[in-house]
Amino acid sequence: MAELHFIGDITCGYGFGGNSFFCVFEIVYGTQWKVVEGRTSGCTHIMSQLDTEVPWNFPIDIHFTCTGMQGWPKVSVQVWQVDAYGRKDIAGYGMTYLPMPGHGEQEVEILTWRPTYWHPSFFMRLYESMRLFFMGGIPVLRDNALIHGNEERFKLHTIGSGTVKLKLNIISRGFKQTGMLF
């Protein structure tokens, strides 16, 4: 049975605008994959933005076994902003496939997006943008499967928001014996 080990961290986030942020992550994988050890989801601590980056340095260490390549693991992230009153608003959603094994440390950047309010009427959009400016409350997803699934995401109106950076080392074992080559 082939094995894959992802070791690294959620290094930082940048380009979100604001002060304090935390990141929620989930590693999603197919039916041909099984977790031997490690956490497939988690939440970083709240960090204030330093210069242009939000440094999380949150560790990821997960060990998989697999019987096939279908359902390759992907990581989905949610970045949340915390204001001075402790209110949380979504700053961005993002997803990327975890990289193939390579030489040394690999850097992965996840571009994030967030839903935006859209209405055919200009006045309704103006009203909603003023409400958001004064009261907060950015629209959020009801179903987090939309982050890593493509089936319904095309119906959303979104804007780009920022980037999350991961640094990973990938260790593989037993892929040649099972006939799976990279």
Side-chain angles (χ1 to χ4, degrees):
M1 189 169 284
E3 299 180 48
L4 208 56
H5 203 142
F6 295 96
I7 304 168
D9 66 355
I10 299 174
T11 307
C12 65
Y14 57 90
F16 293 104
N19 287 336
S20 299
F21 299 91
F22 66 94
C23 181
V24 178
F25 73 94
E26 179 183 14
I27 298 175
V28 182
Y29 49 92
T31 57
Q32 295 184 357
W33 293 75
K34 180 182 169 194
V35 175
V36 176
E37 193 172 355
R39 296 179 56 130
T40 58
S41 62
C43 180
T44 69
H45 48 281
I46 298 173
M47 277 301 287
S48 295
Q49 189 165 332
L50 301 174
D51 295 327
T52 59
E53 290 186 345
V54 181
W56 288 306
N57 299 313
F58 190 82
I60 294 176
D61 187 355
I62 188 162
H63 185 182
F64 286 104
T65 60
C66 66
T67 57
M69 300 294 270
Q70 189 174 6
W72 187 270
K74 49 190 167 184
V75 61
S76 67
V77 296
Q78 301 175 34
V79 178
W80 291 84
Q81 178 178 356
V82 181
D83 68 9
Y85 300 107
R87 296 178 299 190
K88 292 174 255 188
D89 266 337
I90 192 69
Y93 297 105
M95 183 280 298
T96 191
Y97 285 93
L98 291 173
M100 297 285 217
H103 299 289
E105 187 175 69
Q106 297 185 45
E107 194 171 283
V108 178
E109 290 192 343
I110 303 172
L111 301 175
T112 63
W113 51 270
R114 63 179 172 86
T116 186
Y117 183 79
W118 189 88
H119 194 275
S121 167
F122 167 76
F123 295 108
M124 286 300 291
R125 289 193 306 265
L126 180 64
Y127 166 76
E128 192 63 26
S129 63
M130 288 176 49
R131 188 189 69 77
L132 288 174
F133 178 77
F134 289 111
M135 296 173 45
I138 296 170
V140 296
L141 298 177
R142 282 188 259 168
D143 183 10
N144 288 339
L146 287 173
I147 302 168
H148 53 79
N150 293 328
E151 296 82 26
E152 298 290 321
R153 196 173 358 149
F154 71 92
K155 296 178 183 177
L156 297 174
H157 291 274
T158 63
I159 56 173
S161 57
T163 305
V164 176
K165 190 188 305 183
L166 283 72
K167 289 187 180 176
L168 297 169
N169 289 293
I170 298 97
I171 303 167
S172 63
R173 185 174 87 170
F175 277 89
K176 286 185 181 177
Q177 291 84 350
T178 59
M180 294 183 276
L181 300 174
F182 299 111

